[in-house]
Amino acid sequence: MFPFRLKIRQTPLKGAQNFRASKTTRLIKMHALHHLYPALPAFQRREQLRAGLGALVGISLCALVVRIDAVMGGSALFLVAPLGATAVLVFCVPNSPLAQPWSAIVGNVVAAVVAMFAINFVPAPWTVGVAVGGAITAMMFLRALHPPGGAVALLTALDPSSAQDAGLLFPVMPIGVLTAILVVAAIFYNHLTGRVYPFRQPKPDDVQDHAHRLGLSNAQLGALLARFNQSTNVGVADLGRLLAAAEAEAVEHRFDGTLCADIMTTDLITVRPDTPLPEILKRFRQHAIKSLPVVGKDMTLQGIVLQADLLAAVATSGLTATGRQRQTAQFAADVMRPAERAVPHDLPVGVLLNRLAAHGSEVVPVLREDRLAGILTRSDIIRLLLRGAEERTAA
């Protein structure tokens, strides 16, 4: 009985093992095939139509120019297949560094020049390899990498008759001229359809808003792209915009949509523009504050007085060397500074944090319909941060 029972128990175990093994094998195969799935996200239909229509316009314009040249008896212009690839870049991904005017025009032209050299001086079977490899090297050297340039070199090396018929001007006509026409068409078309082309080229001394938010200069963003070998995929300005948007999104999630109105101090101590300086000094002594908002009768914000401003005004008081009384500040309006960094009450706290970090402000007036509604200080922000830390610790 025992061997018979043991045999019955072993049979389902073996079947279960086989099932698990086959399931594991299927999972491994599915995981391997996963890397072959489309890497690009699904395009919006509007973007599909925009890019396709742009390519239609650009290539049709090139074909029209070729047709006019033929009617007028010319023979220097003719369509080449790599222009289709250039159209894909300048109309579908106009923000790519590979699609920019310098890359497109110079890349295609220099590739044609290298291919002309290869077909005239390099014997077979090395002609094709030298044409393509040399074109890639030259484009990278000139910072004009453009994938269709490799196709220009390959097509010219495989079928040199057209290039030889065109002569030494082949890199310029038709390659350079038709690429330039396509690029100009892309500039106007992308502008009309809401895309930026050519892409943003930040100046070395240009301080962008995203740089304020990120705390990174354009040089640092460029170094970041070079570090991850992404300089050919995205520009410095676009990287800054993406990182700033991601940072803002993360901060918004971090504070769960908290607005300035939710944490601002509403028990306000204010002064009027005609408040005398002794009265301002008295209020600073009576209350543990570092600033005093200056408001009108209807609580419209006029300015703000900081302790440092008041001390500077007091320091200038007294007599001159001739015994005459110095012209000193008398009222709040004389020492207040403009409240240029006031924020609306419905501003997310995360955005305010970026501004505080960038400008180093210690106090921020909060407005509701252009009237002073509250004050935000670093202490208010610290309390919010500590409250979040306590909630995370309890969770």
Side-chain angles (χ1 to χ4, degrees):
M1 292 295 293
F2 179 75
F4 178 75
R5 292 177 59 189
L6 181 61
K7 184 177 181 180
I8 292 177
R9 293 178 59 185
Q10 286 179 340
T11 300
L13 287 176
K14 184 176 181 181
Q17 290 175 353
N18 292 336
F19 175 76
R20 285 195 295 269
S22 61
K23 183 178 180 180
T24 302
T25 303
R26 287 196 302 272
L27 290 174
I28 293 174
K29 290 181 179 179
M30 290 177 63
H31 181 71
L33 291 175
H34 176 75
H35 297 290
L36 303 179
Y37 294 167
L40 291 173
F43 290 97
Q44 298 179 356
R45 292 185 179 180
R46 180 179 179 181
E47 179 62 17
Q48 294 173 7
L49 180 61
R50 190 204 67 81
L53 184 59
L56 184 153
V57 171
I59 295 298
S60 296
L61 184 60
C62 290
L64 179 62
V65 172
V66 171
R67 183 66 178 271
I68 293 174
D69 179 68
V71 171
M72 296 179 63
S75 60
L77 294 180
F78 53 90
L79 289 176
V80 291
L83 287 177
T86 296
V88 172
L89 287 173
V90 298
F91 290 105
C92 297
V93 285
N95 60 319
S96 170
L98 302 176
Q100 302 315 300
W102 174 267
S103 296
I105 298 175
V106 176
N108 280 349
V109 169
V110 74
V113 170
V114 173
M116 289 289 290
F117 172 84
I119 62 178
N120 285 288
F121 298 101
V122 179
W126 312 107
T127 308
V128 175
V130 170
V132 176
I136 293 174
T137 303
M139 287 189 292
M140 295 182 72
F141 177 77
L142 294 173
R143 297 167 61 188
L145 188 61
H146 187 60
V152 169
L154 179 61
L155 182 64
T156 304
L158 290 175
D159 184 15
S161 58
S162 299
Q164 290 172 340
D165 292 341
L168 295 178
L169 289 180
F170 172 74
V172 178
M173 296 179 67
I175 300 298
V177 172
L178 293 182
T179 303
I181 292 173
L182 197 60
V183 166
V184 171
I187 291 174
F188 284 99
Y189 182 82
N190 282 309
H191 177 73
L192 291 175
T193 55
R195 296 296 297 272
V196 178
Y197 182 79
F199 75 175
R200 307 163 183 85
Q201 287 276 20
K203 299 178 182 178
D205 57 347
D206 186 19
V207 182
Q208 301 288 343
D209 186 49
H210 66 70
H212 279 308
R213 295 196 297 268
L214 293 167
L216 298 176
S217 65
N218 289 325
Q220 290 171 319
L221 291 172
L224 193 62
L225 287 174
R227 174 185 172 187
F228 290 95
N229 295 320
Q230 295 297 316
S231 299
T232 58
N233 296 324
V234 65
V236 168
D238 285 328
L239 174 63
R241 292 171 60 246
L242 289 172
L243 290 179
E247 182 187 55
E249 190 73 18
V251 170
E252 184 175 351
H253 284 290
R254 164 70 177 79
F255 294 107
D256 196 23
T258 302
L259 304 179
C260 291
D262 299 329
I263 62 170
M264 68 182 182
T265 299
T266 56
D267 187 13
L268 300 176
I269 302 170
T270 62
V271 294
R272 297 290 178 85
D274 57 353
T275 301
L277 292 192
E279 177 64 23
I280 298 177
L281 284 169
K282 181 179 178 181
R283 297 196 185 185
F284 271 115
R285 287 196 300 265
Q286 289 177 343
H287 307 281
I289 54 177
K290 298 181 179 180
S291 63
L292 275 172
V294 182
V295 298
K297 294 181 179 179
D298 55 352
M299 288 299 290
T300 55
L301 184 63
Q302 305 292 319
I304 192 167
V305 177
L306 301 181
Q307 282 185 350
D309 301 326
L310 193 60
L311 291 175
V314 172
T316 59
S317 61
L319 299 176
T320 63
T322 59
R324 294 183 179 181
Q325 185 71 27
R326 288 176 177 172
Q327 295 294 327
T328 60
Q330 302 293 327
F331 305 102
D334 300 323
V335 297
M336 70 180 185
R337 62 178 61 188
E340 299 174 345
R341 295 173 185 169
V343 298
H345 70 284
D346 55 355
L347 183 76
V349 173
V351 179
L352 178 64
L353 279 180
N354 292 321
R355 295 187 184 183
L356 289 175
H359 301 294
S361 303
E362 293 187 359
V363 59
V364 178
V366 182
L367 304 181
R368 188 191 300 270
E369 298 179 355
D370 297 329
R371 297 183 180 182
L372 184 65
I375 289 291
L376 268 176
T377 65
R378 291 190 176 185
S379 299
D380 298 320
I381 301 297
I382 291 174
R383 280 195 295 270
L384 178 63
L385 293 172
L386 291 176
R387 186 182 69 190
E390 293 173 355
E391 292 175 354
R392 289 194 300 273
T393 302

